[in-house]
Amino acid sequence: LKVREIIGLMSITAVPRTPDFVSGVINLRGKVISTIDLRLKFGMPGAERTEETCIIVVDVGGVAMGIIVDKVSEVMDISPDHIEDAPSFGVAVDTDFILGMGKTGNRVTILLDIGKVLSSEDIVALASAAKAVNVPASDDKENSDD
């Protein structure tokens, strides 16, 4: 419910002194938006960016941000009666960021609560990074993460 749009990968301006999972900021139709790499946020190894890599623009706590993902295979509506609570993996595993498990056909889809993926400190830092950077307008699809 927090997804605003899905866009192709575009030029990303790095911001110094941000956490490793913060890729930088983008200029989306004149608005500077912070972007995070979801793989790095979850402690996974980074992946090569491809033509399928995209940015999901979300609104978390009134802050627009981009989430870089490997690919989006489909957009679907899942009715509430097809969503179950996340299973328990014991106290050693943090699953607070899982909103639930969506059942569609024979598949199970993990539904993330993006507001819990990012801490309130993360959100404040991302908003500050977006305000502090002057990003040139760009329509190219190349990543300038260097």
Side-chain angles (χ1 to χ4, degrees):
L1 297 175
K2 297 184 185 317
V3 174
R4 297 296 166 241
E5 64 184 298
I6 300 168
I7 60 174
L9 192 60
M10 57 193 310
S11 179
I12 299 173
T13 301
V15 179
R17 295 185 156 176
T18 56
D20 290 342
F21 66 88
V22 176
S23 298
V25 293
I26 61 172
N27 183 338
L28 183 62
R29 293 183 294 281
K31 185 172 183 183
V32 177
I33 297 176
S34 297
T35 60
I36 67 162
D37 187 316
L38 195 57
R39 283 179 156 273
L40 299 179
K41 179 60 181 167
F42 281 135
M44 299 169 63
E48 182 179 334
R49 297 193 175 157
T50 69
E51 268 190 24
E52 292 184 317
T53 305
C54 57
I55 300 172
I56 301 174
V57 179
V58 298
D59 185 330
V60 180
V63 176
M65 65 185 69
I67 300 171
I68 301 171
V69 298
D70 295 342
K71 70 178 181 176
V72 172
S73 55
E74 67 181 299
V75 176
M76 66 176 97
D77 287 320
I78 302 175
S79 64
D81 56 320
H82 287 110
I83 299 175
E84 292 186 10
D85 292 338
S88 175
F89 294 98
V91 294
V93 179
D94 177 18
T95 58
D96 285 345
F97 60 89
I98 298 177
L99 182 65
M101 303 301 225
K103 299 179 296 180
T104 54
N106 292 330
R107 292 180 21 199
V108 175
T109 302
I110 299 172
L111 306 175
L112 298 180
D113 183 342
I114 197 65
K116 291 185 179 175
V117 169
L118 299 168
S119 69
S120 56
E121 293 84 15
D122 291 340
I123 294 168
V124 169
L126 290 167
S128 297
K131 288 179 184 173
V133 175
N134 182 15
V135 179
S138 175
D139 290 331
D140 67 12
K141 302 292 182 200
E142 294 299 312
N143 181 1
S144 65
D145 233 359
D146 26 357

